[in-house]
C-alpha cells in the first residue's frame, strides 16, 4: 500500500511540473508574439522553444524555476534572427529580441 501512495505522489508531481511548463511556454509565446508585433517584424515558426531550466529563488523567497525560451523573427522575411526571453514563474525577467526602430530624420534634433 505505501508504494501505491508514493506512486500517486510522484504522478501528481510530474503532472504539476508538466502543467507549469506548458503554462510558461504559452506565456512565452504570447510575449514573443507581442514583442514582434510591437516591433513590426515577422514572428517565424509561430512558436517558442524551451532552451533552459534552472532553479532560482523568487522574490517571495520560495524556490522555483527560471525557464529560458528562444524564438525566431525576421525583419525582411529572408534573414532569421534569434530572440531570447527568460521567465521566472510567469514574470518576464530578461528579453533579447526585436525592438521598435527609433529613426530620427536627418537634420532634426
Amino acid at each position: 500500500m505505501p508504494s501505491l501512495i508514493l506512486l500517486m505522489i510522484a504522478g501528481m508531481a510530474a503532472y504539476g511540473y508538466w502543467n507549469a511548463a506548458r503554462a510558461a511556454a504559452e506565456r512565452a509565446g504570447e510575449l514573443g508574439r507581442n514583442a514582434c508585433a510591437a516591433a513590426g517584424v515577422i514572428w517565424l515558426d509561430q512558436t517558442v522553444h524551451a532552451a533552459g531550466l534552472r532553479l532560482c529563488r523568487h522574490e517571495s523567497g520560495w524556490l522555483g524555476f527560471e525557464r529560458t525560451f528562444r524564438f525566431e523573427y525576421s525583419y525582411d522575411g529572408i534573414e532569421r534572427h534569434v530572440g531570447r526571453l527568460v521567465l521566472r514563474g510567469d514574470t518576464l525577467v530578461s528579453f533579447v529580441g526585436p525592438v521598435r526602430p527609433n529613426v530620427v530624420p536627418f537634420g532634426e534634433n
Side-chain angles (χ1 to χ4, degrees):
M1 192 65 155
S3 62
L4 179 60
I5 293 173
L6 292 176
L7 184 62
M8 289 174 62
I9 290 172
M12 288 173 35
Y15 174 76
Y17 172 79
W18 174 82
N19 194 33
R22 287 304 329 139
E26 288 175 13
R27 174 83 170 128
E30 177 184 345
L31 291 169
R33 185 173 38 256
N34 291 345
C36 288
V41 299
I42 304 164
W43 187 40
L44 301 175
D45 302 331
Q46 306 300 311
T47 187
V48 294
H49 305 281
L53 175 73
R54 71 182 191 115
L55 277 175
C56 69
R57 190 165 301 276
H58 293 282
E59 284 129 22
S60 64
W62 288 90
L63 280 177
F65 290 114
E66 182 176 277
R67 291 178 166 88
T68 303
F69 295 92
R70 69 174 194 74
F71 62 96
E72 295 184 348
Y73 61 95
S74 177
Y75 290 102
D76 56 6
I78 299 172
E79 293 184 11
R80 296 175 85 91
H81 301 277
V82 176
R84 183 177 152 268
L85 54 94
V86 178
L87 294 176
R88 196 172 286 159
D90 64 344
T91 306
L92 180 66
V93 294
S94 175
F95 180 82
V96 176
V99 294
R100 180 175 302 185
N102 189 10
V103 178
V104 177
F106 184 72
E108 292 182 21
N109 291 332

